[in-house]
Amino acid sequence: SLRGSWRLCSGNGSVSLRAEVPGCVHTALLCQGLIQDPYYRFNDVAYRWISLDNWTYSRTFKTPFDIRKWQKVNLVFEGVDTVAQILLNNVTLGRTDNMFNRYSFDITSVIQEVNFVEVRFLSAISYAAEQSRCHKGYSIPPACPPPVQKGECHVNFIRKEQCSFSWDWGPSFPTQGIWKDVRIEAYNHFHLIYFSTTPLFVKSTQQWCLKVESIFDVVSSKPIAGLVTVNIPKLQTQQTFSVKLQPGEGSIVQLVNINKVKSATVEPWWPNGHGKQTGYNMTTTFTMETGCQIEKFSKVYFRTVELVQEPIPGSPGLSFYFKINGRPIFIKGSNWIPADSFQDRVTSDTLRLLLKSAADANMNALRVWGGGVYEQDEFYDICDEIGIMIWQDFMFACALYPTDQNYLESVRAEVSHQVRRLKSHPSIILWSGNNENEAAIASNWFSIPYPDIGVYIKDYVTLYVKNIREIVLCEDKSRPFVVSSPTNGLESVKEGWLSRDPYDTHYGDTHFYDYSNDCWNWTMYPKTRFASEYGFQSWPSFSTIEKVSSPEDWSYTSNFSLHRQHHEGGNIQMLQEIGRHFKLPQCPDPVKQFKDMIYLTQVMQAQCIKTETEFYRFSQSEIINGEGHTMGALYWQLNDIWQAPSWASLEYGGKWKLLHYFAQNFFAPLLPVAYEDKGMLHIYGVSDLHEDHKVTLRVTVHAWSSLEPVCTLAKEGVTVKAQSAVPIYKEPICDLLERCRNCTRTSCVITFCLVGEDGLQSPRNHYFLSSLKDAVGLEKTQLSASVSQQDDIYIFALQTTAIAPFVTLDVGSIKGRFSDNGFLMIEKKKMVAFYPWQPTSVEELESSLILTSLLDVV
């Protein structure tokens, strides 16, 4: 391995330092104290010079073996970011131009006992500009990002993380560096490059079988014969195959039939909330006539996936839902973006924390979005282990792309490398060609004159259909592929791969954003087959912002607050959304006002996305006016790349926003959902459980002015159907108010929950009958809390003197999460647990705790 310490030099040699590999220039400079935190204040712009320079990594190394004993020696880079010339002992081995590719250089004739290796980078910004300039025939839009993003141009001309040139939630840090492993490989006869396993269930025989694929580089000039033995002890399955490896690079495939008796007892891999994530240890031994043996240990999983697109009675169009192991699954989750601008800072702990937080919020899926990176192996390993299904985009987003020969060759290598690397993961349930590029052409985002559109359509089909799709279908027949998101699925295919309206609710998936209407009004949301993106922004906690700002920045209208907002008009949109339902903060103390604003943006975001997600969940079993059967809700977005306002529910560093706490409830396996239609209150019972359940619906009405309920109702013997959403209660609101001692819309609030046998219980849900700015009888409460320790967790005992909406516990930068947060407190006492992610103490928690409810905003 050539991991570890390298030399790093700027273009003219004026800056020279030690740098860690894997790594990048920015983190190396930071590590040596030559720059501040790149995320601090305005440093994204101040440090633009780093990305404009051409840096060189170099080091010497001794060859740890006798060169004469090996037929072939390679220098292998698992990832080079991005454009570089690779030299060994002053001989150019080759060039790299794709961050997502694996590069292997034959150094058999160049390697010596002591070697000098150099990786000479070219600025990604200058390379992208140059590539764009050389593309003579026609332009490939967009040329540059909107000015509000403070980004770089022509990112679509370089095979690099697309959001590294800026996005509407992230900074511009076009990194340079050796971002993944680099090593020397030496071998005789043959070498195993890729190894994968994909399960198949043979319906006719009701038997599992496993496709084992191995890709070798064979050095000898003659074929090599030998045996492959596959052993899965727990399934009493062992099979041996005779094989012949042909010279050069090639693959061999074995179909392993799982022992008939054991096949019936195979525990399949299930998504979170639907069963276990059972994996089986497998050993594959290659024993070749050359006397050489390779033993490969792997974990294999058994699961099937289908994307069902078929006619629905009473509805034009086609369904769009996933079946796992033959069972339809409602997809609940969010969208994943890169966890840092500097990938070398994304440790397995970072990934585990974020992914575990997704599972803890009852999510079963994430979409790895196409403007980031194909995630590291560890990411998919964790998803396999905790049951998070992955919708995997290829890395093309919100742009048109070139299709010249060199570009296509680079993309083809990228796609086959990534599919080979990832296809063994049961968590990946779908490949998707790009993010929003079908929509970009269909809606003509880039104002292309009508006569010219043909050439762009041709490029689109060439890239995603004739190249990417072709490779995916050839490499991996075990899971579905869609060309874009949003798309009309089979309807898009029928219309020549580009539909007239990719946002059509009758087909495929939709992305939906609307910041100008009332987000509490469910009728504004599309009754789509599958909602793969939707969302609202909020600000991260003050403790998160504080780390990268100075006191003069702490106001909603400061230069810093404007600088950090990369979505045009975003800060004003949040104010408008808040203003519909809440009183805006007027505190004369600017810092208190800023903190109040942050709190309200989080309350607003949580309440908006709650309303929208509940709408998608209660639409799963019905067709109304030809629309419905919604089978997926992935809000935008799960995580943050830096400390800034964004659509995320997890802040940079992993702290849960109120939205994430709300998600834990609105994605609960059993949930009552209320909505109002023409003066009628409807309550649905939504269930992801595999069996029908008899439950009691408990509805409570409170006047805002009292902790004692005005009236309660218990409806017993309600059947909540397995994996569906069924209406369980309805009543005209005026009757309900009258029944409850002359409540009015502004003076009362409704809460409700489902209670079943054996401790089965839904979270308690709420329904507001008016905007909270109009609420009558709400009083400022005295909130207090005492903290105690129980084993590894801490218990916060809360007390209130009056009803308190959106009660929020915040312990600053102490890492951890609460069991519940942002709740409506309608009883005098409530216990909330805190799960720490690092050691803390009762004293530390007590001194850090800030309790806030809606009436603390002044």
Side-chain angles (χ1 to χ4, degrees):
S1 173
L2 295 180
R3 294 172 85 99
S5 189
W6 289 53
R7 271 312 313 147
L8 177 59
C9 259
S10 61
N12 62 7
S14 61
V15 183
S16 173
L17 62 149
R18 204 181 73 75
E20 275 301 305
V21 166
C24 72
V25 175
H26 288 81
T27 46
L29 291 167
L30 177 64
C31 207
Q32 295 297 318
L34 296 172
I35 59 170
Q36 290 177 311
D37 177 358
Y39 285 172
Y40 182 67
R41 298 196 76 205
F42 306 93
N43 282 347
D44 54 320
V45 174
Y47 292 157
R48 195 172 165 234
W49 61 272
I50 299 170
S51 303
L52 289 166
D53 205 342
N54 303 321
W55 297 81
T56 296
Y57 278 79
S58 62
R59 71 168 280 178
T60 52
F61 67 93
K62 282 198 176 93
T63 304
F65 49 80
D66 184 346
I67 305 156
R68 293 163 303 188
K69 288 188 175 161
W70 300 94
Q71 287 170 300
K72 191 162 182 186
V73 185
N74 291 332
L75 172 59
V76 181
F77 290 87
E78 287 294 339
V80 180
D81 175 19
T82 292
V83 184
Q85 181 186 1
I86 315 281
L87 298 93
L88 183 65
N89 303 327
N90 297 318
V91 176
T92 298
L93 302 176
R95 293 169 191 277
T96 68
D97 63 3
N98 188 326
M99 177 181 180
F100 308 124
N101 233 329
R102 174 181 184 276
Y103 288 94
S104 182
F105 301 102
D106 184 344
I107 54 168
T108 317
S109 56
V110 188
I111 194 167
Q112 299 165 6
E113 280 182 25
V114 177
N115 303 276
F116 179 59
V117 61
E118 272 184 293
V119 181
R120 294 181 189 164
F121 283 97
L122 181 63
S123 157
I125 300 168
S126 355
Y127 173 84
E130 180 55 28
Q131 290 299 303
S132 168
R133 255 197 311 279
C134 295
H135 196 276
K136 292 276 192 284
Y138 51 97
S139 67
I140 309 265
C144 299
V148 68
Q149 288 179 203
K150 302 161 217 35
E152 302 296 347
C153 301
H154 305 298
V155 71
N156 47 347
F157 277 93
I158 181 169
R159 289 312 296 143
K160 177 173 170 60
E161 178 184 30
Q162 297 290 279
C163 66
S164 66
F165 277 42
S166 84
W167 215 263
D168 57 5
W169 36 252
S172 174
F173 283 113
T175 44
Q176 290 171 41
I178 302 168
W179 75 294
K180 288 186 175 240
D181 199 27
V182 51
R183 63 181 180 275
I184 305 290
E185 285 176 351
Y187 48 94
N188 291 331
H189 311 304
F190 67 95
H191 172 64
L192 179 63
I193 314 174
Y194 294 99
F195 178 83
S196 66
T197 56
T198 44
L200 304 160
F201 187 68
V202 186
K203 283 196 175 145
S204 56
T205 58
Q206 290 290 297
Q207 194 175 357
W208 285 100
C209 120
L210 206 57
K211 182 181 173 185
V212 179
E213 187 173 3
S214 318
I215 297 177
F216 286 96
D217 178 27
V218 176
V219 190
S220 75
S221 52
K222 297 197 297 294
I224 301 173
L227 298 173
V228 179
T229 301
V230 177
N231 186 14
I232 310 171
K234 219 166 166 193
L235 296 176
Q236 294 170 14
T237 295
Q238 181 165 333
Q239 260 173 277
T240 300
F241 305 85
S242 301
V243 294
K244 204 169 246 173
L245 306 182
Q246 299 301 328
E249 193 176 308
S251 76
I252 55 167
V253 175
Q254 277 72 45
L255 282 177
V256 179
N257 291 313
I258 301 305
N259 173 318
K260 262 230 152 64
V261 181
K262 283 284 172 186
S263 213
T265 65
V266 165
E267 284 193 12
W269 180 93
W270 286 102
N272 183 32
H274 289 276
K276 288 189 195 151
Q277 291 77 44
T278 308
Y280 294 89
N281 292 329
M282 174 172 110
T283 311
T284 309
T285 314
F286 302 89
T287 313
M288 309 316 275
E289 63 185 3
T290 51
C292 180
Q293 187 174 1
I294 296 179
E295 213 169 17
K296 182 84 188 155
F297 299 100
S298 54
K299 197 160 208 148
V300 295
Y301 297 88
F302 296 88
R303 72 112 188 81
T304 61
V305 56
E306 296 160 80
L307 172 57
V308 181
Q309 300 181 71
E310 56 191 28
I312 301 172
S315 174
L318 299 170
S319 64
F320 191 92
Y321 68 92
F322 291 90
K323 269 187 178 179
I324 304 293
N325 304 324
R327 184 182 280 278
I329 302 282
F330 186 98
I331 303 282
K332 305 183 292 190
S334 187
N335 285 262
W336 172 273
I337 65 160
D340 205 296
S341 291
F342 312 108
Q343 279 291 320
D344 50 293
R345 301 207 293 204
V346 183
T347 62
S348 56
D349 287 352
T350 312
L351 294 173
R352 190 167 284 280
L353 187 66
L354 294 168
L355 292 169
K356 181 86 175 64
S357 291
D360 286 345
N362 289 308
M363 295 184 187
N364 59 26
L366 292 171
R367 171 171 169 249
V368 175
W369 167 78
V373 297
Y374 304 95
E375 277 300 333
Q376 44 190 291
D377 295 344
E378 195 104 28
F379 173 93
Y380 302 97
D381 288 340
I382 297 167
C383 291
D384 293 346
E385 182 193 316
I386 64 177
I388 300 290
M389 294 177 281
I390 296 296
W391 170 314
Q392 179 66 53
D393 278 3
F394 286 94
M395 294 301 129
F396 302 85
C398 301
L400 305 182
Y401 288 86
T403 55
D404 49 90
Q405 223 27 56
N406 291 346
Y407 187 85
L408 286 179
E409 267 167 38
S410 183
V411 167
R412 288 179 71 88
E414 162 192 331
V415 171
S416 66
H417 166 59
Q418 294 298 345
V419 174
R420 286 168 177 182
R421 177 174 80 94
L422 298 174
K423 66 181 175 185
S424 302
H425 290 284
S427 50
I428 298 174
I429 60 164
L430 178 76
W431 301 112
S432 173
N434 66 69
N435 173 70
E436 297 185 348
N437 299 349
E438 179 181 341
I441 295 179
S443 314
N444 202 6
W445 292 0
F446 308 121
S447 311
I448 297 163
Y450 186 72
D452 303 346
I453 208 112
V455 64
Y456 296 101
I457 291 175
K458 185 170 173 288
D459 279 356
Y460 181 91
V461 173
T462 299
L463 179 58
Y464 303 113
V465 182
K466 294 182 177 163
N467 284 277
I468 295 175
R469 179 174 178 269
E470 196 172 282
I471 292 169
V472 174
L473 295 186
C474 170
E475 288 286 347
D476 179 22
K477 295 180 177 60
S478 75
R479 47 174 73 76
F481 173 87
V482 293
V483 178
S484 186
S485 175
T487 178
N488 287 347
L490 292 177
E491 179 60 21
S492 287
V493 177
K494 207 163 104 186
E495 294 179 36
W497 304 101
L498 275 150
S499 60
R500 212 176 30 78
D501 173 19
Y503 297 97
D504 189 334
T505 53
H506 302 94
Y507 298 96
D509 63 325
T510 55
H511 295 186
F512 181 81
Y513 297 96
D514 179 344
Y515 312 111
S516 54
N517 285 301
D518 175 9
C519 72
W520 289 20
N521 173 12
W522 62 273
T523 63
M524 70 177 258
Y525 300 119
K527 210 166 179 80
T528 171
R529 305 288 191 224
F530 197 108
S532 49
E533 270 193 35
Y534 58 96
F536 296 89
Q537 281 198 324
S538 72
W539 273 77
S541 316
F542 183 74
S543 60
T544 296
I545 289 291
E546 195 176 17
K547 294 182 181 70
V548 290
S549 55
S550 68
E552 75 223 58
D553 301 328
W554 300 339
S555 107
Y556 197 73
T557 52
S558 67
N559 285 340
F560 171 82
S561 291
L562 272 172
H563 179 81
R564 260 353 218 218
Q565 175 57 271
H566 279 199
H567 165 61
E568 191 62 63
N571 289 347
I572 292 163
Q573 286 167 356
M574 283 187 268
L575 280 181
Q576 287 168 338
E577 282 291 356
I578 292 165
R580 282 196 170 87
H581 297 291
F582 304 101
K583 293 179 179 127
L584 290 170
Q586 304 294 324
C587 185
D589 172 2
V591 178
K592 163 83 168 110
Q593 192 182 1
F594 185 47
K595 289 178 175 174
D596 285 347
M597 276 307 308
I598 289 172
Y599 166 78
L600 282 177
T601 64
Q602 289 207 16
V603 164
M604 179 273 302
Q605 178 196 35
Q607 188 65 25
C608 291
I609 295 182
K610 168 189 190 288
T611 307
E612 187 165 357
T613 308
E614 288 182 348
F615 168 70
Y616 295 138
R617 286 194 77 188
F618 83 65
S619 299
Q620 67 182 277
S621 306
E622 65 187 17
I623 294 290
I624 291 176
N625 300 330
E627 294 180 316
H629 277 214
T630 307
M631 281 300 283
L634 300 172
Y635 66 75
W636 184 268
Q637 70 208 64
L638 179 73
N639 56 319
D640 258 332
I641 199 166
W642 70 334
Q643 308 89 337
S646 83
W647 293 258
S649 64
L650 296 174
E651 301 177 7
Y652 180 78
K655 185 171 179 173
W656 288 27
K657 285 183 179 176
L658 290 189
L659 167 57
H660 209 80
Y661 288 104
F662 273 46
Q664 189 176 224
N665 290 335
F666 64 61
F667 281 145
L670 179 67
L671 183 71
V673 172
Y675 72 95
E676 198 182 313
D677 193 19
K678 302 184 181 74
M680 182 74 78
L681 178 73
H682 297 262
I683 299 180
Y684 275 56
V686 179
S687 171
D688 286 327
L689 305 171
H690 291 193
E691 276 140 22
D692 294 359
H693 283 278
K694 279 257 188 291
V695 295
T696 299
L697 167 68
R698 293 197 177 141
V699 182
T700 307
V701 178
H702 276 85
W704 284 120
S705 54
S706 168
L707 286 163
E708 291 306 316
V710 184
C711 66
T712 55
L713 168 115
K715 184 179 174 188
E716 291 176 11
V718 172
T719 301
V720 177
K721 286 182 65 182
Q723 294 190 273
S724 20
V726 291
I728 53 175
Y729 179 78
K730 68 176 190 178
E731 184 178 8
I733 285 184
C734 53
D735 293 1
L736 178 90
L737 295 175
E738 209 168 293
R739 194 162 58 73
C740 295
R741 290 208 296 252
N742 293 331
C743 257
T744 66
R745 277 183 174 273
T746 51
S747 68
C748 290
V749 60
I750 303 173
T751 61
F752 44 97
C753 69
L754 299 172
V755 183
E757 281 151 19
D758 306 325
L760 180 68
Q761 191 163 359
S762 76
R764 187 172 63 201
N765 208 341
H766 59 257
Y767 184 73
F768 299 129
L769 295 162
S770 73
S771 291
L772 269 70
K773 65 181 179 186
D774 303 324
V776 175
L778 265 179
E779 297 155 23
K780 194 163 166 30
T781 172
Q782 294 300 307
L783 278 173
S784 60
S786 60
V787 188
S788 58
Q789 188 172 355
Q790 261 182 28
D791 304 326
D792 296 339
I793 62 172
Y794 293 86
I795 306 294
F796 286 68
L798 263 65
Q799 294 201 13
T800 181
T801 54
I803 285 190
F806 303 111
V807 173
T808 302
L809 300 90
D810 189 335
V811 287
S813 48
I814 298 173
K815 285 187 177 301
R817 72 163 181 97
F818 292 95
S819 54
D820 194 3
N821 219 340
F823 44 82
L824 174 64
M825 196 157 168
I826 52 172
E827 62 273 279
K828 283 195 179 95
K829 294 185 172 152
K830 183 174 167 86
M831 299 297 206
V832 177
F834 179 74
Y835 305 101
W837 297 332
Q838 62 180 42
T840 181
S841 65
V842 168
E843 296 69 45
E844 193 180 23
L845 288 167
E846 280 181 337
S847 62
S848 305
L849 177 65
I850 296 168
L851 281 172
T852 311
S853 79
L854 190 60
L855 289 183
D856 294 315
V857 173
V858 288

